[in-house]
Amino acid sequence: QVQLRESGGGLVQAGGSLRLSCAVSGDTSCISAMGWHPQAPGKERELVATIPDSGRAYYADSVKGRFTIPRDGAKNTVDPQMNSLGPGGTGVYFCTADSSGWGTCAETEGDSYWGQGTKVTVSS
């Protein structure tokens, strides 16, 4: 079982920055990609970043230039730096992991794992 735990959320003024973290535990061998899904108040979760196991991160147009995930070479390291936050950045940010069905991972095909989310509030 893959376990995810987000952290780093909090209250920030418009124009400020936050660094979120996603701690991953359990069997991560079948993870093919990870992502970030913020959920704004009263809205559905939105995929804003996809991070393949081996490859560059892809960002939704809504966050390009403001949402950056540095890669340090460590597997499942998907800690985003969020800059120039605006009111639209308010929401609960979920870290996700998607499983591959390749090889010995057939049993996990289609599985998605979600953390508890970390709340971000952008004021002013």
Side-chain angles (χ1 to χ4, degrees), residues 15-120:
S17 301
L18 281 176
R19 177 74 177 273
L20 304 183
S21 296
C22 181
V24 185
S25 62
D27 185 3
T28 64
S29 62
C30 293
I31 294 177
S32 60
M34 300 188 69
W36 281 91
H37 292 71
Q39 183 174 23
K43 303 191 69 175
E44 297 181 350
R45 296 171 183 174
E46 176 188 14
L47 175 66
V48 299
T50 297
I51 309 96
D53 186 30
S54 299
R56 68 177 185 178
Y58 293 86
Y59 305 99
D61 290 341
S62 60
V63 301
K64 283 184 177 179
R66 298 180 292 107
F67 194 99
T68 304
I69 301 176
R71 302 303 300 270
D72 60 4
K75 187 178 181 180
N76 300 323
T77 299
V78 290
D79 299 342
Q81 175 69 45
M82 304 192 300
N83 300 317
S84 301
L85 286 165
T90 294
V92 179
Y93 285 69
F94 295 90
C95 179
T96 64
D98 296 328
S99 295
S100 169
W102 301 109
T104 59
C105 300
E107 295 181 353
T108 64
E109 183 179 7
D111 288 354
S112 295
Y113 304 93
W114 294 73
Q116 296 177 338
T118 184
K119 186 177 181 180
V120 174

